[in-house]
Amino acid sequence: MAIESQVAVIGGGLAGVFSALAAAREGADVRLLSYKQSTLAQASGLVDLQGYTPTGDGPVVDPYEAIPALPDEHPYSAVGVDGVREAIALFDEVADRYRGAHTDRNALLPTHGGTVKPTARYPAGAAAGLASDDRDALLVGFETLVDFDAPHAASHLRNAGVPFEVRGVSVAFPGDLNPDAKVTRYAKLLDEDGEVSVGGGARRARDALAATVEPHLDGAERVGFPAVLGDEDPAAVRDSLEAALGVPVFEVPMGPPSLPGLRLGDDLYAALDAAGVSMETGNPVVDYDGEGRIEEVVVERNGARIPFAAAEFVLATGGLVGKGIGSDREGVEEPIFDCHVPHAEDRYEWFDRDAFGDHPFARFGVRTDDDLRPVDADGAAEFENLRAAGSVLGGYDFAAEKSGSGVSIATGHAAGTAAAEAVR
C-alpha cells in the first residue's frame, strides 16, 4: 500500500526545502523525499539572486531591476519579480541569521579566493567584511587549513581595487590540529572554548586565537577569518574574539565543505520540522506510475520498492552536478519522469571550445510552462500534477549569472504554493 500525502517534494536542496515550506504554509500535507544530504554543505552560504547578466555584464547592482530584462526561457520569467520578492521574504523569515534585507541592492563580499562576489543575502558573521566598507582589513589564515591562503586572497583583493587597505597573514591555529582536520573540528574547538596548549601553558581556545592574531593587527580596523568560527553558536565565538581584539570580526566564505552552508541547512530543516513537513531521507526516487497524471512515485529502500502516492508532485532534484539531469553519449535526460530536456543531437554542440566560453550544457534542464509544469518538445505539459524547481530547470547558467540560490528559492516557493493550491 502506498504512503500518501497531498504534496510530495522530491529533492532536499534549497528548491526542495522552499517548495515544501511554501506548500505546508498553504495548509497542505507535505512529504519531502530526499536521496542525499542537502547540497548546502557544498555551497558558500551566500544567497545570490542575480549577480551578472546572461551576457556577462555586471556586477548587477539591483537584481530586481535586472530580472524583467532576462530571456523568456529563464526560470525567473515564470515567477516574476513579485514572486521572487515573496520567496525571499520567506527566506528572511526562516533564516534570521542572514543580513541584506534592508536593501534591494546586491552586497559585495570578499571570497576565500580573493574575488569580490555580488550577493543578495549573507550570514551575519560576514557582515563586517563587506567590500564596500572602507575600513582597513586583516585577513587571517591558518597554517593547517590550506583551503584559505590569506596573503594570496589579500593580494587579489588589492588588485581588484577594493576601497581599503588589506593584508593577509597565516598563523598557527591553537590546538595542534592535523593538516587534514575537518572544518567542523575547528568550529567545535571554538564552540566549546576548551583549553589548548600554547607555549607550554594552557589557555582557552578563543583567547589563545586572539592572542596569536593581536600582534599582527598593526592598525587593521577589522579582521577576517576563514568561515570556521563555530557551528553551534558562531555569534558567541565572534563576540569573544571582538572583545579580545578590540575590532570587528568577520568570516570569509569558503569552498566545500562549507560551515555557513551547513548552518543554513540546519536552520531550514528546523523550519521544515516546525511547519510539520514529513521527511524521508537517504533513499532515491527511481520510478513512477501514471500517464498524464502521476499517481505515485517509487522509492528504493534496501532493495525494496516503496510507493509514495500524492495528489501533487514537485521535482527539485538538481541539475547536472546534482544528478537531477543525466547525460551520456546518447543524449541528455531527466531520469525519474523522463521529462524532455532540450539539447542538440550532436554532442560537440553541447560545449564551446573556449574553456571560458558560452557552454550550452550549462543551460541544460527541463523547460516549463508558466505554472512550472515540465513541457514536452511541443510545449505541452507532460504531467498535469508535476512541477519543477531549482537547478533541474534549464534556460539559464546559474554559475555564470550567480543566480542559483535565488532561482532555487523563487521557483521552489512558486512550485510549492501552486501545488498546495491545486489540492485545496
Side-chain angles (χ1 to χ4, degrees), residues 18 21-22 25 85-95 413:
F18 277 89
L21 272 177
R25 289 189 167 215
R85 287 189 182 278
E86 290 175 8
I88 295 302
L90 177 57
F91 175 88
D92 291 335
E93 180 184 341
V94 299
H413 181 271

Side-chain angles (χ1 to χ4, degrees), residues 381-401:
E382 302 206 55
F383 302 95
E384 63 179 88
N385 63 335
L386 176 67
R387 290 168 180 80
S391 53
V392 74
L393 298 171
Y396 75 120
D397 183 345
F398 68 86
E401 296 176 8

Side-chain angles (χ1 to χ4, degrees), residues 263-321:
R263 296 171 194 151
L264 177 58
D266 290 343
D267 289 346
L268 295 182
Y269 272 78
L272 287 176
D273 190 56
V277 175
S278 301
M279 288 175 267
E280 169 82 13
T281 60
N283 301 294
V285 175
V286 296
D287 206 351
Y288 74 98
D289 283 326
E291 186 172 345
R293 181 176 181 83
I294 300 165
E295 302 298 334
E296 61 186 30
V297 294
V298 178
V299 172
E300 191 174 79
R301 184 193 298 164
N302 298 325
R305 292 170 62 88
I306 311 298
F308 283 81
E312 296 288 322
F313 295 83
V314 177
L315 177 68
T317 46
L320 286 167
V321 175

